[in-house]
Amino acid sequence: MNTRVEAALNDQIHKEGYSSQFYLAMASWAENHGLSGTAQFLYSHSDEERFHMLKLIKFVNERGGKAMIQAIEQPPIEFKDLENVFEQLLNHELMVTDSINNLVDICLQEKDYTTHNFVQWYVSEQLEEEALARTILDKLKLIDGDKGGLYMFDRDLLKMITTRANSTPADSKAQ
Ligand code: OFO
């Protein structure tokens, strides 16, 4: 495997692993604040990020490279409020999108069209994840801290897990 592509894929493995831990920390925060629907949504999002990481690990190893399992830094424990949770989630996804775009660039520069093809799955996934985070943030801004609104928001996030599970590519549900 091209060493530059391998290094970029390993960097992405680390980022997906961190995403999983970051959303796990958010889920735990939500659970401790009585937001059980939000917590379940974030637990499930954390599982998806782990799947993204595993998919990369398997790809690297199957193509003759060596997937590196690196230490993951401590995610935040406290969040100001629910809006802050989803602001951080959106900003994180924007950073991940930049990283995926960089990976696409490297594949093209190194003429690694197989990896380029593989990475397209992540390009589409990022589009979905950014759109979802923006939709959720818009809802929270509308609610503007209203308790009744937050109650309904929390309940609606539970429904979103089911909708997403039914619309996610089949292989992303395998884990
Ligand atoms: Fe892996 O898509 Fe979010 O980070």
Side-chain angles (χ1 to χ4, degrees):
M1 186 174 219
N2 176 291
T3 50
R4 210 171 144 225
V5 172
E6 184 179 3
L9 287 168
N10 271 317
D11 180 55
Q12 196 60 39
I13 287 170
H14 176 253
K15 288 196 171 83
E16 301 291 344
Y18 180 76
S19 301
S20 180
Q21 291 296 95
F22 194 14
Y23 300 161
L24 195 56
M26 290 175 177
S28 179
W29 178 90
E31 195 159 55
N32 282 320
H33 285 77
L35 298 158
S36 58
T38 308
Q40 284 193 53
F41 173 85
L42 289 164
Y43 280 129
S44 144
H45 208 25
S46 167
D47 285 346
E48 275 186 36
E49 296 299 349
R50 181 174 157 79
F51 169 75
H52 298 172
M53 177 186 71
L54 289 174
K55 194 174 163 80
L56 282 159
I57 291 172
K58 286 174 187 163
F59 178 79
V60 171
N61 288 337
E62 274 164 15
R63 292 215 58 223
K66 268 204 184 96
M68 302 257 298
I69 311 302
Q70 302 166 59
I72 293 177
E73 53 276 33
Q74 165 85 56
I77 296 170
E78 281 304 330
F79 300 90
K80 197 171 127 250
D81 51 28
L82 196 53
E83 201 171 317
N84 178 247
V85 166
F86 284 99
E87 269 164 8
Q88 291 202 41
L89 190 146
L90 175 60
N91 287 337
H92 185 73
E93 287 302 331
L94 293 173
M95 181 280 289
V96 172
T97 300
D98 278 351
S99 174
I100 295 288
N101 289 342
N102 182 47
L103 189 48
V104 171
D105 263 359
I106 293 173
C107 290
L108 289 175
Q109 283 166 25
E110 300 297 324
K111 298 190 176 12
D112 182 344
Y113 301 117
T114 308
T115 306
H116 180 267
N117 187 45
F118 167 79
V119 168
Q120 293 313 303
W121 185 88
Y122 289 83
V123 172
S124 315
E125 184 68 18
Q126 283 312 117
L127 253 181
E128 264 187 42
E129 296 212 346
E130 279 186 31
L132 179 68
R134 284 200 180 91
T135 305
I136 293 174
L137 255 184
D138 285 347
K139 279 183 200 262
L140 280 170
K141 287 200 167 102
L142 270 176
I143 292 166
D144 196 21
D146 174 72
K147 284 215 161 74
L150 274 178
Y151 175 81
M152 290 196 355
F153 169 89
D154 190 58
R155 208 191 45 185
D156 286 353
L157 272 197
L158 259 186
K159 283 188 213 143
M160 260 193 211
I161 304 174
T162 328
T163 319
R164 257 171 81 72
N166 293 335
S167 66
T168 315
D171 61 349
S172 73
K173 287 187 276 179
Q175 296 303 312

